[in-house]
């Protein structure tokens, strides 16, 4: 009985030593955000979501700085950037391009909005490619050439769907 307790204690100590408190916290928060992502996607208060996503992106990037190899965290960042670009930044761009521009608006502000939209998509793409590379190397190279994308995608499995 005493040997069993000793082995349990040694095993637990080794497990705790392998995972720092920061790593454990980041993993737990990543689980919460990943499981709660559906709340963002279902919410109908678009004004609130538009304001909340950038804060969540920054929080996830802070978490990523503490756990740079966390594939789920990288994937979440990709999703948030893509959602923000598609759902909100592009809407601002379309308003600037197709609606009567407000007084004082110039082509320069349209160019600035285009740059922002491109930046958000590029950040999301960068995170997605990083996540894919961790599970199935070759993503960046495959996506740089049209003729290599299909063979690369054919070899992916379910765990690669999110990125």
């Amino acid at each position: 009985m005493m040997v069993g307790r000793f082995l349990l204690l040694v095993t637990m100590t080794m497990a705790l030593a392998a995972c720092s408190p920061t790593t454990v916290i980041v993993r737990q928060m990543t689980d919460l955000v990943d499981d709660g992502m559906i709340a963002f996607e279902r919410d109908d208060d678009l004004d609130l979501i538009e304001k909340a996503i950038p804060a969540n992106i920054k929080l996830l990037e802070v978490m990523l700085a503490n756990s740079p190899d966390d594939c789920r965290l990288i994937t979440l960042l990709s999703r948030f950037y893509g959602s923000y670009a598609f759902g909100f930044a592009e809407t601002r761009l379309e308003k600037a391009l197709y609606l009567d521009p407000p007084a004082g608006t110039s082509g320069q502000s349209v160019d600035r909005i285009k740059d922002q939209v491109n930046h958000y998509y590029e950040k999301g793409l960068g995170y997605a490619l990083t996540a894919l590379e961790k599970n199935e190397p070759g993503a960046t190279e495959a996506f740089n050439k049209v003729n290599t994308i299909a063979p690369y995608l054919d070899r992916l499995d379910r765990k690669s769907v999110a990125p």
Side-chain angles (χ1 to χ4, degrees):
M1 188 65 141
M2 196 63 138
V3 173
R5 287 184 181 170
F6 176 74
L7 287 175
L8 179 62
L9 180 63
V10 169
T11 303
M12 289 177 58
T13 304
M14 289 174 54
L16 288 174
C19 289
S20 72
T22 303
T23 302
V24 171
I25 291 168
V26 168
R27 283 184 187 157
Q28 288 177 336
M29 288 191 62
T30 300
D31 289 343
L32 285 171
V33 174
D34 197 14
D35 293 343
M37 185 71 173
I38 198 160
F40 272 93
E41 293 167 346
R42 287 186 178 168
D43 199 315
D44 62 354
D45 187 344
L46 295 180
D47 186 52
L48 180 64
I49 297 301
E50 181 178 12
K51 292 173 182 159
I53 288 178
N56 280 278
I57 286 172
K58 291 294 131 214
L59 175 63
L60 292 176
E61 288 181 333
V62 167
M63 291 168 50
L64 185 63
N66 287 284
S67 188
D69 294 323
D70 190 323
C71 192
R72 286 179 54 212
L73 190 52
I74 296 167
T75 300
L76 281 168
L77 277 160
S78 174
R79 288 177 66 189
F80 269 109
Y81 269 108
S83 295
Y84 188 74
F86 184 73
F88 303 105
E90 278 200 29
T91 301
R92 285 193 300 275
L93 179 59
E94 288 175 4
K95 283 181 184 176
L97 286 171
Y98 302 115
L99 297 178
D100 291 331
T105 302
S106 66
Q108 197 172 36
S109 64
V110 170
D111 290 340
R112 185 180 57 78
I113 296 170
K114 282 181 186 177
D115 290 343
Q116 285 178 332
V117 171
N118 288 333
H119 173 73
Y120 298 142
Y121 277 128
E122 287 170 3
K123 289 282 284 197
L125 173 63
Y127 284 124
L129 290 175
T130 299
L132 283 170
E133 287 283 351
K134 289 187 176 299
N135 293 324
E136 192 67 44
T140 304
E141 185 179 326
F143 279 85
N144 280 331
K145 299 176 186 167
V146 173
N147 61 343
T148 59
I149 293 172
Y152 175 81
L153 293 175
D154 286 342
R155 72 179 200 223
L156 298 180
D157 60 15
R158 287 182 156 211
K159 69 181 177 190
S160 301
V161 170

